[in-house]
């Protein structure tokens, strides 16, 4: 089917999802400033304009430059009330642009403290959930039409592939308590501690839906986290994994074979044969990549594509050369996500607009991508309830499409 130009208001009106979005990368700049002033925290600048120009920039020199922003966002997320506020505002910002369902991820161990027990891992998650729950109730109370899909969310807890004692009070204590352990084992211990706590609060009714690992890929393999993922699997917690963003196809291979991840965060380098060195097991890089692509496609392992984020962390990448084009050609399951609303200076509407315009998405392709977000979500509830919710989102999408003159899907 031929591509079509879609009005901006159409993108705003359709029901949307965001399955890959970091809480600490999506804080309002004004909130960073207000909390810093309230708590006596030091910022390099104290106006929205200056922070946007010098810290949360339009363009970054490298991945390290991009990640530097998180120093200031995590800094203002170190108390129950601050976590709740940031989470509440995050949900409001999503719901205001028509995101009907999101799965927000964050690393609770970056905010946990040990000295008083007020912010153990469980309480960090509970604090975030209070903010999300409050906003969600407020917006669901505004819904009138019976055929309109409600606002819903899930929480994904992110373990870190790599950390040092400087990352947080929690990590400092963990490393100091296990000085004689190799760091690779400590990474695994931290992941296991996180998933055990996540299951605990999930069993209380908090909608923790999945485990993730994030951070530097090269040199920090997924195998460090096998025990945590195995535990998550046995406790029926879903799994995703950052892979193929800063490292090549082997990172995705590790995610789907060692961790059996159900979704992949980014997956940008899925096709990058040049990043694969021959091994005794896989002497032919081309064949190796072919097998991974086939596995991902056939198993419908959804790739959480983040266009603006990739542009920000990969200097020199042009949007028209983004591998999402080939993902679509290979009929791989993809959904478009923001990654970090603040740091990448983006929204779900913007990401869908970029994808549509750059890759000339037909009405069918666009609807498939949007609805894939609903279908491949780690929905917290009975499967029959999820099916009904997805169907309502599809029907509502069709109503909006008809209203804006978007050609119906054949």
């Amino acid at each position: 089917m031929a591509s079509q130009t879609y009005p901006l208001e159409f993108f705003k009106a359709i029901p949307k999802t965001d399955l890959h979005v970091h809480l600490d990368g999506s804080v309002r700049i004004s909130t960073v400033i207000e909390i810093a002033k309230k708590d006596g925290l030091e910022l390099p600048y104290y106006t929205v304009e200056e922070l946007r120009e010098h810290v949360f920039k339009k363009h970054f020199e490298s991945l390290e430059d991009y990640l530097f922003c998180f120093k200031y966002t995590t800094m203002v997320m170190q108390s129950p009330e601050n976590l709740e506020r940031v989470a509440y505002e995050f949900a409001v910002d999503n719901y205001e642009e028509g995101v009907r369902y999101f799965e927000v991820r964050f690393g609770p161990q970056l905010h946990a403290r040990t000295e008083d027990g007020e912010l153990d891992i469980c309480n960090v998650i509970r604090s975030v959930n209070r903010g999300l729950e409050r906003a969600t109730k407020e917006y669901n109370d505004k819904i009138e039409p019976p055929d309109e899909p409600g606002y819903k969310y899930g929480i994904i807890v992110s373990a870190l592939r790599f950390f040092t004692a400087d990352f947080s009070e929690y990590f400092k204590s963990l490393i100091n308590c296990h000085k004689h352990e190799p760091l690779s084992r400590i990474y695994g211990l931290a992941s296991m501690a996180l998933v055990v706590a996540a299951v605990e609060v999930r069993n209380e009714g908090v909608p923790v839906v999945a485990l993730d690992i994030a951070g530097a890929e090269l040199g920090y393999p997924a195998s460090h986290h096998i025990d945590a993922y195995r535990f998550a699997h046995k406790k029926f917690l879903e799994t995703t994994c950052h892979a193929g963003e800063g490292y090549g196809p082997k990172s995705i291979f590790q995610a789907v074979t060692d961790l059996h991840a159900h979704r992949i965060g980014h997956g940008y380098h899925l096709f990058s044969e040049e990043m694969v060195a021959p091994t005794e097991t896989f002497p032919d890089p081309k064949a190796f990549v072919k097998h991974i692509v086939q596995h991902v496609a056939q198993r419908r392992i959804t790739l959480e594509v983040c266009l603006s984020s990739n542009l920000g962390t990969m200097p020199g990448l042009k949007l028209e050369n983004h591998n999402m084009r080939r993902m679509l050609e290979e009929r791989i399951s993809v959904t478009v996500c923001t990654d970090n609303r603040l740091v990448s200076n983006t929204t779900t509407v913007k990401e869908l607009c970029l994808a549509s315009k750059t890759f000339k998405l037909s009405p069918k392709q666009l609807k498939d991508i949007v609805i894939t977000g609903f279908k491949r979500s780690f929905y917290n509830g009975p499967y029959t309830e999820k099916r009904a919710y997805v169907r309502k989102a599809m029907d509502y999408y069709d109503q909006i499409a008809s209203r804006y003159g978007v050609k119906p899907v054949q």
Side-chain angles (χ1 to χ4, degrees), residues 4 25 37 59 70-71 84 110 115 138 160 180 222 248 265 273 290 297 351 358 362 371 376 386 389:
Q4 179 175 339
K37 289 180 177 178
H59 304 287
F70 292 86
K71 170 184 177 180
E84 182 175 343
L110 291 170
E115 68 271 16
E138 288 178 6
L160 298 185
H180 303 294
E273 298 171 6
K290 178 182 177 181
E351 294 303 301
T358 304
S362 70
I371 299 304
R376 298 298 292 155
K386 177 181 177 178
Y389 183 63

Side-chain angles (χ1 to χ4, degrees), residues 19 101 103 263 372-379 386 390:
L19 302 188
Y101 179 90
E103 289 174 358
R263 296 197 319 240
T372 290
F374 289 96
K375 288 183 174 180
R376 298 298 292 155
S377 70
F378 299 142
Y379 186 92
K386 177 181 177 178
V390 173

Side-chain angles (χ1 to χ4, degrees), residues 385-403:
E385 183 180 294
K386 177 181 177 178
R387 283 182 62 92
Y389 183 63
V390 173
R391 169 48 60 187
K392 185 171 285 190
M394 294 172 68
D395 291 344
Y396 192 63
Y397 183 103
D398 289 340
Q399 289 180 33
I400 302 299
S402 177
R403 183 190 310 167

Side-chain angles (χ1 to χ4, degrees), residues 14-28:
I14 57 174
K16 297 173 286 292
T17 67
D18 195 347
L19 302 188
H20 188 123
V21 54
H22 294 261
L23 182 63
D24 52 355
S26 305
V27 188
R28 295 175 183 173

Side-chain angles (χ1 to χ4, degrees), residues 38 44 70 104 114 116 174 184 194 221 271 284 290 297 320 354 366 368 370 391:
K38 173 178 70 75
F70 292 86
V104 62
T114 57
D116 56 11
L174 183 66
S184 60
L194 174 61
F271 309 102
D284 183 354
K290 178 182 177 181
E320 59 268 25
L354 287 174
L366 179 58
D368 284 348
V370 171
R391 169 48 60 187

Side-chain angles (χ1 to χ4, degrees), residues 14 17 26 46 55 107 138 159 184 206 223 236 249 256 281 295 302 317 337 352 399 403:
I14 57 174
T17 67
S26 305
Y46 288 89
V55 179
E138 288 178 6
S184 60
V206 175
S223 58
F236 302 104
V256 299
T281 306
H295 179 85
T302 298
L317 174 64
C337 310
L352 286 172
Q399 289 180 33
R403 183 190 310 167

Side-chain angles (χ1 to χ4, degrees), residues 18 21-29 70 73 86 89-90 93-94 104 338-343:
D18 195 347
V21 54
H22 294 261
L23 182 63
D24 52 355
S26 305
V27 188
R28 295 175 183 173
I29 297 183
F70 292 86
T73 57
V86 166
E89 293 175 350
F90 169 86
D93 291 344
N94 274 272
V104 62
T338 60
D339 197 14
N340 299 288
R341 295 171 65 91
L342 166 60
V343 182

